Amino acid sequence: MVQTKEHIINPQPPLSFTGLKLSKPYTEAAGIKAVAISAKHIFGAMPVGRGLKALLKINQKHGIDCPSCAWPDPDHRSPIAEYCENGAKAIAEEATTRKITSAFFQRYSVAELSDKSDYWLGQQGRLTQPMILREGQTHYEKISYQEAFALIGSKLKNLPTPNDAIFYTSGRTSNEAAFLYQLFVRMYGTNNMPDCSNMCHESSGAALTATLGLGKGSVTLNDFDKAEVIIVMGQNPGTNHPRMLSALENAKRKGAKIVSINPLIEAGLLAFKNPQDPRDLLTGATSLTDIYLQVRINQDLALLKCILKLLVEADKLSNGQVFDKTFIQANTVGFEELINELNGYSIVDLAKQSGVELSEIQRVADLLAVHDRIIVCWAMGLTQHKNSVITIQEVVNLLLLKGSIGREGAGTCPVRGHSNVQGDRTMGIYEKPSQTFLDNIERVFGFKPPQEHGFDTVEAIQEMYKAKGKVFIAMGGNFLSATPDTEYTAKALMNCDLIVHISTKLNRSHLVHGTTALILPTLGRTDLDMQKDGQQFVTVEDSMGVVHMSKGVLSPPSEELLSEPAIVAGIAKQTLDSKYQLNWDELIANYDHIRDLIEKTIAGFDNYNVRVRDQNGFYLPNPPREGKFSTKNQMAHFTINALTQENLKENEYLMMTIRSHDQFNTTIYGLDDRYRGIYNERRVIMMNEKDIADANLQNYQVVNLHNNHGGIHREAKRFIIVPYNIPTKCVATYFPESNPLVPINSTADISNTPTSKSVVITIEAVLEDGKVVLAEVRN
């Protein structure tokens, strides 16, 4: 089947908009409303008994690790509700009793499914049978797992070189599946292992490794109880990491001050009404943010430099009482160079560039000057710009000046977005593995793994676009909708001879295919995993380096489903034949055997099978947490981070892509962005009212969005202008709807992460019969 352009990206936008509803943005997060919506999602997806069984096990000791975000579990957990609204939605999405069988694919062709919305696709239920789309056919049809494994093995063995295959991983994949997957891929002969980290916290890893020697955060959850100041930058915890609000609330009640830095005023940063706390229900929500800096998009570096300049001045006035000179002299290099670099900037100019009033920045500097137990948290708002790595390095500069690393209640806190994205990297899912890791693979398994670096996500797409990547295998995820430059990525995928998706739910990536496509359904986190030696559990690593178990409790949607480790083993056996002395069947019969191999290969997993059965799991080694730095000279590094500025033309705006409250990554749970007051519509562009007037546009006008990076025209059609509190020349849109505007070749320096939060766009009015088009809006 030849797909048309309309079937490549999203379904075509509606010709008219009649469903948009607006209200005032919320000023607090959670509360009873969140409980009611959680229940609606859970019990709308499954019977009450099944739903309660799942809810009572989410994030409990020896229970189900939530397949949503990677926020850590507290040592002392609520016995009935250790989850948030988005966690409940994620469980409802996975544990639903709705099913997709081969009859569904007989009814709908790929072209017909391509016209459906992402939300509709996700609501059809769990995948239950392996399916194949054969060359020239219009419908998927049933195939057995063994036939699918044989086809994959044959394709892989007949490629001219292993580097013609690409093996992608989503952050939901367990440690056990990830370790087997990377082992198989390296046995096959390539390091082409792009993953979702390439698109989110790769910038964090690069910055933290260069400055502190470890690409992970340094804080623990208990540090929040001891912090004096918590800075939250480029993050919206109320929607993306709601359980973090409990940690912020506890910190606030213990006297911590909270500073929020974000282009949007987000409800979850303003106040939190804990539905399990009688104090909140009786007396109202707990106010969280003490100082809110509404920075322009991607001017965090200018803001940080302004804060540092003010601290330098305060240190001089106090005769050296602001900076921790003892820590600096004993543990760091580059201090004098940093101070000299800061001297070249003007405080007034830095404040102006950031878009924040200098008086407000001064308040933050005054706060930091007298405290040293400081935590800085950040997420995609910092990591998806061209200058992301140096911006995060400037965060580290701030913490090093205050001696706020290796101290209780202080440190770095990059908040990961997916429940095991950090664990997958620890397991070796990385296109640029360290020599130590490769040497350990050789020592344990007796073969020399490939030494040359593989492709990251952007490079993999570019290779497929050039028809050099011939087989693409995705372990989870929704690759097309998660990646930039949607039309370009779709064409790249269509150049492949074979595409394989290992998935729990139907998504748009299954509809954009190469010559042949396979869907291999798999068990989810909530599902009972029965193997030859009995029920199995898997393990994951949270944002703060705690490894713990996850054990499914619900009956799977089909007895035919295989687990992710079993699917990897099945592909490996058909691809590698008996080339390596590894008993794949034994590994799948009992996952303890996989963990034994992990223990032998990766540092920090000593006595893995015993320690992970502890109710709270165990921490992996983290030298910066202990004030030790694994850089070449064993010192923490101050860095010089040159400031740049986006020079926008009069008709240009800087767009950031964001999530709505009814989604997690590319999974759309519903059509409401409740906290921002936007309901029943996703094709919106949030825009400052002054910008709307200056451009001779109107509120609720329908417009097309354009990007011309690199001389290539990109377009996203029919978005509704929604007036919103956002800095001038800045706009916000939801992804994946606006991903077609994110250029494939606009990436962060060093990390190569797509710049999804720094997209230069122009706005064009949609005209019908020479007149502007306005959406109908209900208030």
Side-chain angles (χ1 to χ4, degrees):
M1 183 188 73
V2 178
Q3 290 180 306
T4 65
K5 182 177 179 180
E6 287 74 17
H7 291 144
I8 289 177
I9 312 176
N10 291 311
Q12 288 300 289
L15 295 177
S16 62
F17 293 93
T18 58
L20 175 62
K21 180 181 177 182
L22 299 174
S23 69
K24 288 183 178 181
Y26 276 43
T27 56
E28 62 185 37
I32 296 301
K33 181 75 171 180
V35 175
I37 289 177
S38 298
K40 179 181 178 181
H41 278 264
I42 286 285
F43 302 124
M46 66 195 82
V48 172
R50 181 179 174 90
L52 289 174
K53 187 175 184 179
L55 290 176
L56 291 172
K57 283 293 185 178
I58 302 175
N59 297 321
Q60 297 296 338
K61 299 172 182 181
H62 294 184
I64 304 164
D65 186 70
C66 178
S68 189
C69 81
W71 189 254
D73 301 320
D75 292 338
H76 304 289
R77 308 174 198 183
S78 165
I80 57 171
E82 191 53 60
Y83 56 87
C84 65
E85 177 186 337
N86 265 15
K89 290 174 180 176
I91 293 296
E93 190 82 3
E94 178 178 290
T96 178
T97 50
R98 293 190 287 268
K99 303 177 184 180
I100 292 178
T101 66
S102 57
F104 173 89
F105 290 104
Q106 291 173 355
R107 177 181 177 184
Y108 293 105
S109 69
V110 171
E112 290 170 328
L113 291 172
S114 296
D115 278 331
K116 304 294 186 181
S117 70
D118 295 288
Y119 174 62
W120 187 92
L121 293 174
Q123 291 302 301
Q124 301 314 299
R126 284 284 298 274
L127 295 161
T128 58
Q129 297 168 308
M131 307 298 297
I132 184 170
L133 183 65
R134 301 185 189 277
E135 182 176 3
Q137 297 301 304
T138 59
H139 291 67
Y140 275 98
E141 59 187 61
K142 188 177 178 181
I143 188 175
S144 71
Y145 279 108
Q146 292 306 315
E147 289 174 310
F149 297 156
L151 173 60
I152 297 167
S154 175
K155 287 284 188 182
L156 290 175
K157 286 188 288 188
N158 285 292
L159 289 178
T161 167
N163 288 328
D164 284 347
I166 294 164
F167 301 86
Y168 176 76
T169 309
S170 163
R172 184 182 56 80
T173 307
S174 69
N175 285 344
E176 291 74 14
F179 184 80
L180 281 193
Y181 193 42
Q182 67 81 27
L183 181 61
F184 153 61
V185 172
R186 292 192 166 102
M187 285 179 167
Y188 174 63
T190 184
N191 283 315
N192 285 347
M193 279 178 274
D195 71 334
C196 57
S197 284
N198 297 148
M199 295 181 286
C200 56
H201 270 289
E202 198 70 58
S203 297
S204 300
L208 295 174
T209 299
T211 55
L212 305 178
L214 181 70
K216 301 180 181 182
S218 66
V219 300
T220 69
L221 191 55
N222 292 332
D223 283 320
F224 280 75
D225 291 337
K226 301 169 184 176
E228 296 170 321
V229 180
I230 300 170
I231 302 176
V232 183
M233 301 185 69
Q235 185 196 359
N236 177 18
T239 287
N240 300 334
H241 313 92
R243 286 201 301 152
M244 181 179 173
L245 299 182
S246 296
L248 295 177
E249 181 182 51
N250 291 337
K252 191 68 184 293
R253 286 175 173 170
K254 293 182 178 183
K257 300 295 183 181
I258 297 176
V259 178
S260 294
I261 301 172
N262 200 302
L264 295 175
I265 303 297
E266 302 287 16
L269 292 171
L270 296 178
F272 173 48
K273 182 177 282 188
N274 189 337
Q276 297 191 67
D277 192 326
R279 289 172 292 182
D280 284 4
L281 297 179
L282 292 173
T283 63
T286 300
S287 177
L288 296 179
T289 295
D290 295 280
I291 305 173
Y292 207 123
L293 305 184
Q294 195 173 6
V295 68
R296 289 195 180 108
I297 293 175
N298 194 27
Q299 291 306 324
D300 304 271
L301 182 55
L303 178 61
L304 287 165
K305 284 190 180 295
C306 191
I307 293 171
L308 294 186
K309 283 277 291 183
L310 292 170
L311 289 175
V312 170
E313 286 192 352
D315 191 65
K316 290 177 181 177
L317 292 173
S318 65
N319 294 317
Q321 298 302 304
V322 171
F323 297 151
D324 189 337
K325 300 292 176 52
T326 301
F327 173 87
I328 291 169
Q329 291 171 6
N331 298 284
T332 73
V333 294
F335 171 73
E336 295 296 338
E337 292 84 348
L338 173 65
I339 300 302
N340 289 336
E341 189 256 353
L342 289 172
N343 287 336
Y345 293 99
S346 157
I347 288 175
V348 172
D349 290 345
L350 289 169
K352 183 178 180 181
Q353 183 171 336
S354 75
V356 180
E357 290 292 333
L358 180 55
S359 60
E360 290 298 293
I361 303 174
Q362 182 70 63
R363 290 178 63 201
V364 175
D366 291 345
L367 191 64
L368 296 176
V370 296
H371 295 102
D372 53 23
R373 283 184 281 136
I374 303 164
I375 293 174
V376 182
C377 309
W378 70 89
M380 305 301 96
L382 255 61
T383 67
Q384 293 180 328
H385 306 281
K386 184 171 178 57
N387 60 349
S388 285
V389 173
I390 62 173
T391 298
I392 296 165
Q393 288 178 170
E394 201 78 354
V395 169
V396 175
N397 283 343
L398 169 62
L399 294 171
L400 291 178
L401 286 171
K402 296 296 298 179
S404 297
I405 293 179
R407 184 195 301 268
E408 281 193 334
T412 59
C413 184
V415 184
R416 308 283 176 170
H418 219 321
S419 61
N420 198 39
V421 63
Q422 188 161 295
D424 289 346
R425 184 57 61 87
T426 301
M427 292 297 104
I429 299 294
Y430 190 30
E431 74 280 357
K432 302 179 183 70
S434 69
Q435 194 58 51
T436 298
F437 183 86
L438 294 176
D439 290 345
N440 286 343
I441 291 286
E442 183 174 5
R443 172 180 55 81
V444 174
F445 297 100
F447 76 96
K448 192 172 186 65
Q451 303 293 299
E452 65 178 312
H453 289 170
F455 303 134
D456 64 22
T457 296
V458 168
E459 292 165 342
I461 295 169
Q462 291 168 333
E463 290 299 306
M464 289 187 288
Y465 191 85
K466 293 183 287 189
K468 292 184 179 179
K470 304 308 296 181
V471 174
F472 176 80
I473 300 178
M475 177 66 75
N478 181 358
F479 189 80
L480 177 70
S481 295
T483 47
D485 218 334
T486 312
E487 185 175 336
Y488 182 99
T489 299
K491 291 176 180 176
L493 291 168
M494 293 168 70
N495 284 336
C496 293
D497 290 337
L498 174 66
I499 290 180
V500 182
H501 289 285
I502 301 166
S503 307
T504 57
K505 301 288 292 290
L506 183 65
N507 63 55
R508 192 156 301 281
S509 294
H510 302 136
L511 311 178
V512 176
H513 55 83
T515 306
T516 303
L518 286 166
I519 301 173
L520 301 181
T522 187
L523 295 175
R525 290 270 180 87
T526 57
D527 297 327
L528 280 165
D529 185 352
M530 300 299 298
Q531 302 295 339
K532 184 178 179 181
D533 289 358
Q535 184 179 357
Q536 303 300 308
F537 67 85
V538 295
T539 60
V540 297
E541 177 186 345
D542 66 33
S543 267
M544 296 178 186
V546 177
V547 177
H548 59 279
M549 70 160 57
S550 179
K551 193 172 187 178
V553 298
L554 302 179
S555 56
S558 168
E559 294 182 359
E560 294 182 31
L561 290 184
L562 297 182
S563 68
E564 286 179 336
I567 290 173
V568 172
I571 296 172
K573 288 191 295 182
Q574 290 291 335
T575 305
L576 304 175
D577 298 322
S578 56
K579 184 176 179 182
Y580 298 98
Q581 298 301 309
L582 191 65
N583 190 330
W584 295 93
D585 292 333
E586 181 181 75
L587 295 175
I588 302 310
N590 189 328
Y591 297 169
D592 278 358
H593 299 315
I594 304 175
R595 289 186 282 271
D596 286 340
L597 295 178
I598 294 171
E599 178 180 341
K600 293 177 182 178
T601 308
I602 303 173
F605 286 86
D606 308 298
N607 211 16
Y608 192 1
N609 274 309
V610 173
R611 289 198 294 158
V612 81
R613 284 175 165 85
D614 181 271
Q615 289 189 338
N616 290 318
F618 61 91
Y619 280 97
L620 290 174
N622 191 304
R625 187 174 292 160
E626 302 169 6
K628 301 174 183 177
F629 306 103
S630 303
T631 57
K632 288 183 179 179
N633 60 1
Q634 305 298 301
M635 303 287 275
H637 288 236
F638 287 104
T639 50
I640 305 302
N641 305 305
L643 186 62
T644 59
Q645 186 167 10
E646 188 77 59
N647 294 311
L648 296 172
K649 297 177 183 177
E650 184 178 353
N651 66 332
E652 291 180 335
Y653 306 88
L654 197 61
M655 181 189 81
M656 62 178 182
T657 64
I658 60 175
R659 299 181 195 171
S660 82
H661 191 64
D662 254 357
Q663 77 180 96
F664 180 76
N665 292 344
T666 59
T667 302
I668 311 301
Y669 301 134
L671 301 178
D672 296 340
D673 195 0
R674 186 170 84 253
Y675 290 161
R676 296 191 185 106
I678 300 171
Y679 298 84
N680 203 40
E681 183 54 65
R682 292 184 52 82
R683 299 187 77 86
V684 300
I685 176 169
M686 299 172 217
M687 194 170 179
N688 184 284
E689 286 201 84
K690 181 178 184 300
D691 287 336
I692 297 172
D694 289 348
N696 292 316
L697 297 169
Q698 300 180 46
N699 294 351
Y700 321 123
Q701 185 174 343
V702 179
V703 294
N704 296 331
L705 311 180
H706 302 272
N707 170 271
N708 290 286
H709 181 84
I712 298 172
H713 178 245
R714 301 168 184 85
E715 183 178 35
K717 294 182 177 180
R718 303 185 74 85
F719 281 67
I720 305 170
I721 295 175
V722 172
Y724 207 82
N725 181 6
I726 188 171
T728 56
K729 302 295 283 185
C730 300
V731 296
T733 56
Y734 302 129
F735 71 87
E737 286 82 0
S738 57
N739 279 0
L741 299 168
V742 183
I744 188 69
N745 56 353
S746 177
T747 59
D749 295 335
I750 303 175
S751 69
N752 209 32
T753 296
T755 58
S756 300
K757 296 286 191 290
S758 282
V759 184
V760 177
I761 67 164
T762 58
I763 301 174
E764 171 204 17
V766 171
L767 300 178
E768 291 180 1
D769 298 325
K771 298 179 180 180
V772 300
V773 179
L774 297 177
E776 293 183 22
V777 178
R778 293 179 290 129
N779 293 308

